[in-house]
Amino acid sequence: MINKKFAFGYVLVSAMITRYFLTTDQIISQIRYLGRWEPFWHSNLCIGASCKIPVVNCATNMNCAKTIGCIQTCVLDNIDSEDKTAACAYICEMTHGYENRQFKELIECMLEHNCMVRYPDDGPCKGSDADAITSVKTMDDIEGDWWVLRGVNCGEQPYPGGYDWYPCQHERFIKTANGQWINNVTYCGGRHDVCETDIIVTVA
C-alpha cells in the first residue's frame, strides 16, 4: 500500500518544484508520470524506504543533485519514446555524475534494493566472434590513438541510443612505466559532428 501522507507530500513538493524549473510540456509529462506505478511509485517508495541516507547525501551535493535532475528531465522529455531515455541519462552521468561519490552510492543502493527499472535494450548485436580482427593478439597491438569514424548505432531504430554518433570519439591506449594499461577516452554529447556538451574525459 502507498503511504497516503508520503504520496500527498511528494505530489505537493513536486508541484512547487515543477512550477519553477520545468517547461509546460515537462509538467504535463510529470503529471502523466505520477499515474504510473512502475517506474514512478515503485522506485520512489523503494528509495524512500531503503536509501534515505544516500538520497540526503546526494541532495546536498551539487553535482549529484544536477545528475538526478538531468536524468529526471530525460525521463520527462522522452515519456513517449522511452527507448531514448538511457542515452540521454548516460550523458547526464558523464557530464555531472562521473566519479561523483554521492551519485555512485545512491545508484549502488538503488541496485542493491531493486529500486531501479531496467532500460529497454538498445538494438541487437550485429557482430560475432567471426567478425573479430584476428591480427590483434596482445594489448601492445592496440597501443596508440584510435578514432571512431563510423558505426551503426546512430539514433534510429533499432538503435535509438545513438552512441556511435557522439562527436570526437577518441580512444588512447597507453602503457605506463610499470606495465599497467590506461584507456583514456574523450568525446562529447551530440550528433551529426556537432557537440552539445563540453568534451567529456574518462580514464579506465
Side-chain angles (χ1 to χ4, degrees):
M1 294 291 291
I2 295 176
N3 184 297
K4 292 182 178 179
K5 289 183 179 179
F6 173 87
F8 178 77
Y10 185 91
V11 171
L12 182 62
V13 171
S14 295
M16 290 187 293
I17 292 174
T18 55
R19 171 66 179 80
Y20 293 100
F21 295 103
L22 301 182
T23 66
T24 300
D25 287 343
Q26 288 170 342
I27 291 173
I28 293 171
S29 294
Q30 181 70 55
I31 293 170
R32 291 173 59 193
Y33 203 48
L34 286 168
R36 299 183 180 183
W37 168 253
E38 198 171 84
F40 183 81
W41 290 110
H42 164 77
S43 294
N44 281 285
L45 290 173
C46 179
I47 293 167
S50 304
C51 302
K52 296 181 183 69
I53 293 176
V55 166
V56 171
N57 291 339
C58 181
T60 55
N61 177 270
M62 182 178 295
N63 278 345
C64 187
K66 279 184 180 179
T67 308
I68 297 301
C70 181
I71 293 172
Q72 180 63 9
T73 298
C74 292
V75 171
L76 298 179
D77 286 346
N78 294 287
I79 193 168
D80 293 315
S81 52
E82 293 182 357
D83 55 359
K84 292 184 177 292
T85 303
C88 180
Y90 173 75
I91 293 298
C92 296
E93 294 163 15
M94 290 296 100
T95 52
H96 303 303
Y98 182 63
E99 293 191 335
N100 180 270
R101 178 178 59 81
Q102 290 83 358
F103 178 68
K104 181 174 180 287
E105 289 175 354
L106 176 58
I107 294 300
E108 286 175 346
C109 182
M110 292 171 67
L111 288 171
E112 180 183 351
H113 296 283
N114 297 314
C115 298
M116 294 183 69
V117 175
R118 179 185 172 127
Y119 287 125
D121 290 339
D122 188 49
C125 180
K126 284 193 172 288
S128 68
D129 290 346
D131 298 309
I133 301 174
T134 57
S135 60
V136 175
K137 304 295 184 182
T138 68
M139 287 294 296
D140 293 298
D141 294 329
I142 61 171
E143 183 175 12
D145 293 63
W146 295 77
W147 294 86
V148 176
L149 300 180
R150 63 177 63 183
V152 297
N153 193 328
C154 297
E156 298 178 354
Q157 292 297 340
Y159 300 97
Y163 298 100
D164 287 339
W165 71 359
Y166 289 159
C168 307
Q169 293 189 58
H170 183 193
E171 298 203 31
R172 306 162 189 82
F173 292 92
I174 305 164
K175 190 175 186 178
T176 64
N178 63 3
Q180 295 295 311
W181 285 92
I182 295 175
N183 181 17
N184 175 222
V185 183
T186 55
Y187 61 98
C188 62
R191 54 186 178 175
H192 297 311
D193 297 326
V194 178
C195 288
E196 297 173 359
T197 70
D198 292 335
I199 292 294
I200 299 168
V201 181
T202 64
V203 178

